[in-house]
Amino acid sequence: MNEQDTTVFNQGLIDFVSASPTPFHAAASMAKKLRDAGFSELKESEHWSLEPGGRYYVIRNDSSLIAFIHGREPLVDAGIRMFGAHTDSPCLKVKPNARIISSGYYQLGVEVYGGALLATWFDRDLSIAGRVSFRSASDSPESRLVDFKAPIAMVPSLAIHLDREANRNRSINAQTDIRPILMLADDNPDQFTFAALLLAQLQSQYPDIDAREILDFELCLYDTQAPAVVGLRKEFIASARLDNLLSCYVGLEALLDAGDEQSSLLVCTDHEEIGSASACGAKGPMLEQFLQRLVPNTSDRLRALDASMMISADNAHGVHPNFAQKHDAEHGPVLNRGPVIKINANQRYATTSETSALFKMLCSEAEVGVQSFVSRTDMECGSTIGPITSAEVGVKTLDVGVPTFAMHSTRELAGTEDAHALYKVARQYFARPQAPGRFAGR
């Protein structure tokens, strides 16, 4: 196993986030890296025959992925080292009847996906990406991923002269205030349709296919500004979708470095930002069905799960120097001080004292600092795939993350040291010989 240095790792992270404007593109980017590393794709419609020493991956809905190394050690004894994250991020999604004509402009009707910080979507150079379904020349439905890449839309702010309260008491109406402008309307406005725009994009990206009619789409807007290493001493990474593509990339790189003695699994699911309740979300059956096919015998599967553990990785709130009062004074993580163990007495995070103890040992072995996050007692906190996976699958779980500013903004901020630090801990986790879910003394 060759550990990457921090600069190389961060450049890989930046490239991955840039190539992944939607969950569909994130899953495709991960699948390509897995194939290049010798992993074989499994089709859910086919019979599986998984062999010890084998490396596999499976994709559902084009947006959720499980990658698995079948260790040579017996599963019932050694368990599975699981690492989980999610592929989706808050965004603006294009509505089905997308075209709006208003005051001489073509605009797009959009719907807010997840808990987006809406103010950050104004005055950004926006593009569109996602999945498009169409009728092919053989009269069958097909789908492809599209990415316009170029800045083709913007949501302009209203000038302060027309809203004198903008800096004191501004509210944003999600129905009327955030509709992006595409271009000026033509004299004959009906000559432009959104379906025609998508058809032209398909033909541009895939000249070998014969798309006859657009049937439907799932499209997101995204900020085209490239990720960057910023700060006077280059200590920060600024980018869209760090929550939670950063964790997906950490888990992927650590898995690619893992050996084949122990069984290791990466699961990156969609729809976490809206509750995970879907066929490809953490509250759905994807992981449980994978484990059922991996270990068909119920007793053996339960024994394997007893020896297993899940690290749920999702970004944590770094203590904001302008709003330090929003944090518990004793639990305010600082950027570049190491990964954060996330704790909540009401199980919004799935961390237990035992899973936390093991993670602290892993950090010590990897020579990485570790921090803790607990929300103020008078404030609610978010949640992750951790409690959901723990409840659905019955596996011991830990919630961790990299400290981050501006979570759910179009441009979030993390430390340049922290993602690489979490990767080193994940490598240690995948390499550790002892079954992670078995604790002595009971």
Side-chain angles (χ1 to χ4, degrees):
M1 295 185 292
N2 296 317
E3 183 181 318
Q4 304 174 32
D5 68 31
T6 303
T7 301
V8 172
F9 185 87
N10 286 337
Q11 186 57 55
L13 170 62
I14 285 171
D15 292 343
F16 172 66
V17 174
S18 297
S20 307
T22 73
F24 304 118
H25 290 82
S29 297
M30 288 188 284
K32 183 180 185 308
K33 291 206 72 168
L34 290 163
R35 285 193 303 271
D36 291 346
F39 283 69
S40 301
E41 183 175 7
L42 301 170
K43 300 290 187 181
E44 292 193 283
S45 60
E46 299 174 355
H47 174 74
W48 294 359
S49 180
L50 308 185
E51 301 292 337
R55 296 174 174 241
Y56 309 96
Y57 74 93
V58 61
I59 293 176
R60 181 176 288 188
N61 188 49
D62 297 327
S63 62
S64 295
L65 175 145
I66 294 174
F68 179 65
I69 298 175
H70 196 323
R72 300 185 186 279
E73 293 290 327
L75 284 168
V76 294
D77 297 324
I80 306 170
R81 290 142 180 78
M82 304 183 196
F83 189 100
H86 64 87
T87 57
D88 60 320
S89 302
C91 66
L92 305 182
K93 298 193 98 170
V94 182
K95 289 182 176 180
N97 298 323
R99 190 193 69 170
I100 295 172
I101 302 173
S102 178
S103 302
Y105 296 91
Y106 288 119
Q107 294 180 272
L108 289 178
V110 294
E111 189 174 10
V112 179
Y113 176 88
L117 274 172
L118 292 181
T120 68
W121 285 87
F122 287 84
D123 309 317
R124 300 277 183 168
D125 299 340
L126 303 177
S127 192
I128 300 172
R131 182 173 65 182
V132 175
S133 299
F134 58 93
R135 188 191 307 277
S136 69
S138 62
D139 204 34
S140 61
E142 296 184 23
S143 297
R144 294 289 189 280
L145 303 189
V146 299
D147 184 357
F148 283 79
K149 294 187 177 180
I152 61 172
M154 180 173 281
V155 185
S157 293
L158 181 64
I160 196 166
H161 314 82
L162 305 177
D163 183 8
R164 293 293 184 181
E165 295 298 307
N167 291 330
R168 291 187 289 272
N169 188 30
R170 185 188 186 193
S171 62
I172 299 171
N173 185 302
Q175 172 67 19
T176 60
D177 295 351
I178 58 171
R179 298 188 305 208
I181 293 174
L182 285 176
M183 61 182 178
L184 286 163
D186 301 301
D187 292 336
N188 179 10
D190 290 335
Q191 71 183 30
F192 169 77
T193 67
F194 193 64
L197 179 67
L198 293 182
L199 194 60
Q201 183 64 26
L202 273 174
Q203 292 166 346
S204 172
Q205 282 190 230
Y206 305 98
D208 295 336
I209 67 170
D210 189 358
R212 300 295 176 86
E213 177 190 3
I214 301 298
L215 298 173
D216 214 333
F217 52 81
E218 294 177 62
L219 297 171
C220 306
L221 285 104
Y222 70 94
D223 183 9
T224 60
Q225 184 178 3
V229 176
V230 302
L232 188 61
R233 294 190 294 190
K234 304 297 183 183
E235 293 170 301
F236 310 113
I237 297 176
S239 175
R241 302 180 299 284
L242 290 177
D243 175 19
N244 191 28
L245 293 186
L246 181 151
S247 300
C248 292
Y249 185 75
V250 165
L252 177 65
E253 290 300 304
L255 186 74
L256 292 175
D257 285 347
D260 61 5
E261 287 302 309
Q262 320 300 327
S263 291
S264 303
L265 182 147
L266 170 69
V267 54
C268 298
T269 47
D270 197 0
H271 300 144
E272 190 276 341
E273 298 292 358
I274 54 172
S276 294
S278 69
C280 59
K283 194 175 284 188
M286 184 179 180
L287 178 57
E288 187 172 10
Q289 289 173 348
F290 180 90
L291 295 172
Q292 288 170 351
R293 297 181 76 164
L294 175 65
V295 188
N297 181 274
T298 300
S299 178
D300 288 346
R301 184 168 63 255
L302 294 177
R303 290 171 63 197
L305 282 170
D306 181 68
S308 302
M309 195 176 100
M310 164 72 77
I311 292 180
S312 162
D314 200 346
N315 295 27
H317 296 293
V319 59
H320 195 306
N322 297 345
F323 303 94
Q325 71 277 9
K326 295 291 187 179
H327 295 260
D328 184 285
E330 279 69 49
H331 300 91
V334 177
L335 273 59
N336 286 328
R337 299 272 180 89
V340 178
I341 299 173
K342 302 161 76 171
I343 302 161
N344 181 261
N346 297 303
Q347 283 294 289
R348 297 292 289 170
Y349 304 128
T351 303
T352 70
S353 58
E354 290 188 328
T355 57
S356 174
L358 177 59
F359 189 77
K360 289 177 179 178
M361 288 179 60
L362 293 170
C363 288
S364 176
E365 292 165 1
E367 298 181 341
V368 164
V370 62
Q371 307 181 80
S372 296
F373 172 79
V374 181
S375 290
R376 285 178 57 109
T377 307
D378 56 359
M379 292 178 64
E380 292 186 5
C381 70
S383 191
T384 70
I385 66 165
I388 295 170
T389 303
S390 182
E392 294 291 327
V393 178
V395 63
K396 300 174 186 70
T397 302
L398 168 83
D399 270 299
V400 301
V402 162
T404 307
F405 291 146
M407 201 180 295
H408 292 194
S409 170
T410 55
R411 198 157 181 87
E412 299 164 327
L413 195 71
T416 52
E417 301 292 330
D418 289 326
H420 186 244
L422 182 57
Y423 151 78
K424 291 196 290 185
V425 180
R427 284 178 74 250
Q428 189 68 21
Y429 170 63
F430 286 141
R432 208 166 195 272
Q434 296 89 350
R438 296 252 166 89
F439 292 84
R442 294 198 246 113

